[in-house]
Amino acid sequence: MKLSLFAQSALLTVAAALPGRWHDHDHERHEWRPAGPNDSRSPCPGLNVMANHGYLPRSGRDIDLATFRNAIAGAYNYAPKSLDFAFQKAIDLKLSTTGNASTIHLSDLNVHDAIEFDGSLSRSDYNLGDNHSFDPEVWGGVAESLGLYDAAPDNEDDLYVTIEVAAKARAKRVAEAMALNPRFNASENQMMGSPGTTALYLTTMWDYDAGAAPKAWVRAFFEEERLPFLEGYRAPKTQKDANLLGAISKAVLAVKV
Ligand code: HEM
Ligand SMILES: *[C@@H]1O[C@H](CO)[C@@H](O)[C@H](O)[C@H]1NC(C)=O
Ligand SMILES: *[C@@H]1O[C@H](CO)[C@@H](O)[C@H](O)[C@H]1NC(C)=O
Ligand SMILES: *[C@@H]1O[C@H](CO)[C@@H](O)[C@H](O)[C@H]1NC(C)=O
Ligand SMILES: *[C@@H]1O[C@H](CO)[C@@H](O)[C@H](O)[C@H]1NC(C)=O
C-alpha cells in the first residue's frame, strides 16, 4: 500500500522532532506581499503564505529542505524538522523541475494525484478547471460550514473553528465534490489527504489557550494567504511539532461525520 503524504501526517502520533532554535525574525523583512505575476505558487496555502511573507523565497523558486525548515520555524514556530516528511515526499515523487533534484519550485506541486487531490477546501477539482489556485466559490461553501462569517465579536464561543466543526465541514465539502464531479478521483491520496490537510491548518493556526483555531486567522490564511498578524496572530511561544499534528489529526478522524 502506498502511503500518501497526508496519510503520513494523519497517522503520525509520535515522531522524532528535535527541539528547534528560537528564530527572532525581523518583521519588516517578513511583511505580507502577495505574489507577483512571475512568482511561483502552489495549491498549498501553507507554503504560499510563507512565500508571501518572505519566509520562503518570494519568487517561490528553488526551495531546498534547509530553507523549508527555517521557514516553518520562523512563520509558524514548528520544530524545524517536524514536516520534513512532507518536503521529502515532493522530492521522492520527483516533482522537481528546477534542474536540481533537491529543490522545488512551488508550482511543481500542481501535479494531479501526486500530492494534489480532488475535494480540497479552497481549490476546485482536477477535471473542473483551475485545480490549484484559490477558488472563492469552493471556499465560500466551506467557509459557510465553518461559520467563518458568523463570528459575533461579543460571543467568545463564536470566534473559533473547533475540531468538530472543521471535521464536519471537510466531510461535507468532499461529499458535495463527489456529487458534483462525475470524474471525482477518490484515490487513497485524496481519502487520507483530506482529513490530513484539515488537521494541518488547524495545527498551523492553533490557539493553545482556546484549544481551537480563531476564525479570523483561518480566513486570512486561506483567503489572502497571509499570516494574521493584524488579527492578533504571533508565532506561538510553544513550539508546534509532529506530536501536536498527530493529536489533532487523530481528533479530526474521530469526529463522527
Ligand atoms: C507548514 C507547512 C504546511 C502547511 C501549513 C500546509 C497546509 C496545507 C493545507 C491547509 C492544505 C489544504 C488546502 C485546501 O484544502 O484547499 C494543503 C494542501 C497542499 N499542500 Fe500543504 N502545507 C504545508 C506544507 C506542505 C509541503 C511541505 C508540501 C509539499 C512539498 C505541501 C503540499 C501541498 C499540496 C500539493 C497541497 C494540495 C492538496 C490538495 O489538493 O488539496 N504542503 N496544505
Ligand atoms: C521570470 O522568472 C524566470 C525564472 O526565474 C526568469 O528567467 C525570467 O526572466 C522572469 N521574467 C520576468 C519578466 O521577470
Ligand atoms: C542542489 O541543491 C542543494 C540544496 O540546496 C545544494 O546543496 C546543491 O549544491 C545543489 N546542486 C547543484 C548542482 O547546484
Ligand atoms: C488544472 O488546473 C490548471 C491551472 O489552471 C489547468 O492549466 C489545467 O488544465 C487543469 N487540469 C485539468 C485537467 O483541467
Ligand atoms: C486517480 O487516482 C489514481 C490513483 O492514485 C491515479 O492513478 C489516477 O491517475 C487518477 N485518475 C485521474 C483521472 O487523474
Side-chain angles (χ1 to χ4, degrees), residues 64 100 102-103:
D64 65 11
N100 180 332
S102 308
T103 65

Side-chain angles (χ1 to χ4, degrees), residues 59-219:
S59 66
R61 294 177 200 275
D62 302 305
I63 297 164
D64 65 11
L65 179 61
T67 304
F68 172 71
R69 285 176 176 170
N70 280 326
I72 64 170
Y76 305 129
N77 197 15
Y78 273 105
K81 296 182 181 175
S82 55
L83 301 176
D84 278 11
F85 69 92
F87 187 89
Q88 195 55 43
K89 188 77 181 182
I91 300 299
D92 292 347
L93 288 170
K94 300 199 175 357
L95 302 182
S96 173
T97 64
T98 62
N100 180 332
S102 308
T103 65
I104 54 166
H105 299 323
L106 290 182
S107 59
D108 292 346
L109 301 171
N110 287 331
V111 179
H112 179 59
D113 210 52
I115 300 172
E116 190 282 319
F117 53 78
D118 286 344
S120 305
L121 300 169
S122 67
R123 270 70 177 160
S124 185
D125 288 356
Y126 182 66
N127 285 302
L128 300 181
D130 184 338
N131 45 81
H132 62 240
S133 310
F134 177 75
D135 185 316
E137 205 181 315
V138 168
W139 175 249
V142 173
E144 202 182 323
S145 306
L146 294 173
L148 291 190
Y149 307 119
D150 300 338
D154 53 347
N155 179 356
E156 183 70 12
D157 289 344
D158 226 22
L159 297 178
Y160 299 95
V161 176
T162 62
I163 289 176
E164 186 182 358
V165 166
K168 289 181 172 161
R170 175 208 76 75
K172 183 159 179 273
R173 161 66 181 136
V174 171
E176 284 171 2
M178 282 174 144
L180 176 78
N181 178 4
R183 296 171 70 192
F184 185 91
N185 198 344
S187 62
E188 171 146 10
N189 183 35
Q190 184 280 318
M191 309 244 276
M192 296 310 293
S194 173
T197 48
T198 282
L200 201 45
Y201 85 77
L202 289 172
T203 307
T204 302
M205 292 290 111
W206 196 245
D207 180 330
Y208 287 87
D209 293 333
K215 289 179 179 177
W217 297 6
V218 172
R219 286 186 58 177

